[in-house]
Amino acid sequence: MSHRTLLVEERDDRVVVTLNRPEARNAIDAAMVDELHTLCGELERRPRLLLLTGAGGVFAAGADIRELLERGREEALAGINSRLFDRIARLPMPTVAAVDGYALGGGAELAYACDIRLASESAVFGNPEPGLGILAAAGACWRLAELAGRSVAKQVLLGGRRLDAAAAHGSGLVAEVVPADRLLERAHALLDRMASSSPVALRLTKLVLDARGPHPVADDLAQAVLFEGQDKAERMRAFLDRRSS
């Protein structure tokens, strides 16, 4: 499938996605949102590891400001970016963001939605939304606090602080800082370690780790047991036989 804003490389055990709007520093626009939703649908149907990165030495320098300017109350209530990032966060298999250069605004929130972040030495994370008269409403106000602590989150979201690679690593936001020319190599090494694990164990571990309470993990685990049962197979076959007779 062709993409206008993404470069997509599919492998047996992983999908590598490069945000590719170099003329706009990979700003996240409506077309990219749609293409990332399509990608999520593919990874939900056929779960694989996901590596997200950006072209041209930039991860993503925010959402597209020209589009944001035209959005009003209804678009805010629709949660255009937040629904996408939530979907990425809920993908069945682990996700890794390899961040080189700027990850600002919506770009930072996309990185926060991934399970693990690696950074180049030139990586910079920030959420300058209040300076534009809005808030970071696609996950930063709660994900960043969970990832790096409430104090750091307030420094970034309220104080306008930008976290360079060293500060992001020191706060636990990123797992490793490496030279830019080794960033993808290190990201693939991490994915290789993941790929050597049981896919089912990885999926269930992520499900349990991310559960906010008994739901939805309790529902999914119970359903997983039932789906493998002979009773379910017999009852459903009987139902289909009755309907076709």
Side-chain angles (χ1 to χ4, degrees):
M1 179 177 292
S2 63
H3 299 272
R4 184 169 71 81
T5 70
L6 307 176
L7 301 176
V8 179
E9 177 191 353
E10 299 201 34
R11 303 186 186 182
D12 288 340
D13 62 356
R14 72 196 65 175
V15 176
V16 182
V17 175
T18 304
L19 310 180
N20 188 42
R21 294 188 69 217
E23 75 287 353
R25 297 198 299 175
N26 302 330
I28 300 168
D29 66 352
M32 186 180 288
V33 168
D34 289 344
E35 290 181 11
L36 286 170
H37 271 300
T38 298
L39 174 77
C40 286
E42 295 169 358
L43 290 173
E44 289 159 355
R45 288 187 294 272
R46 184 190 168 197
R48 282 166 289 170
L49 301 167
L50 172 64
L51 172 58
L52 270 175
T53 191
V58 177
F59 185 72
D64 192 297
I65 303 300
R66 293 185 184 277
E67 290 187 358
L68 288 181
L69 179 61
E70 300 303 319
R71 292 181 187 174
R73 178 181 60 197
E74 294 305 315
E75 288 79 12
L77 291 173
I80 294 170
N81 285 2
S82 65
R83 300 300 186 273
L84 169 64
F85 299 165
D86 284 349
R87 192 175 184 185
I88 289 171
R90 292 195 307 270
L91 285 172
M93 293 290 280
T95 57
V96 174
V99 178
D100 185 20
Y102 288 118
L104 302 177
E109 291 180 299
L110 175 57
Y112 303 158
C114 292
D115 293 312
I116 299 175
R117 286 148 298 281
L118 303 182
S120 76
E121 294 167 333
S122 63
V124 178
F125 297 84
N127 289 97
E129 285 88 343
L132 295 170
I134 59 175
L135 62 84
C141 287
W142 55 276
R143 280 199 179 99
L144 184 56
E146 290 182 350
L147 294 168
R150 186 167 296 275
S151 175
V152 170
K154 287 187 174 183
Q155 292 171 45
V156 172
L157 294 163
L158 302 179
R161 180 185 178 190
R162 291 186 175 184
L163 300 176
D164 62 18
H169 184 254
S171 69
L173 180 61
V174 303
E176 187 177 358
V177 177
V178 298
D181 61 0
R182 296 190 57 220
L183 180 60
L184 291 183
E185 172 193 335
R186 293 299 300 158
H188 279 292
L190 172 59
L191 291 167
D192 289 342
R193 289 202 303 274
M194 291 179 178
S196 69
S197 296
S198 158
V200 175
L202 280 179
R203 288 185 65 175
L204 290 178
T205 299
K206 177 173 176 175
L207 196 65
V208 172
L209 267 171
D210 287 344
R212 302 286 172 181
H215 306 290
V217 67
D219 313 60
D220 291 336
L221 290 175
Q223 187 75 297
V225 172
L226 292 170
F227 269 16
E228 293 296 318
Q230 185 65 26
D231 190 47
K232 168 251 190 183
E234 291 174 355
R235 288 172 182 272
M236 289 191 174
R237 287 195 187 102
F239 172 82
L240 293 173
D241 288 343
R242 288 196 302 272
R243 194 173 67 173
S244 62
S245 61

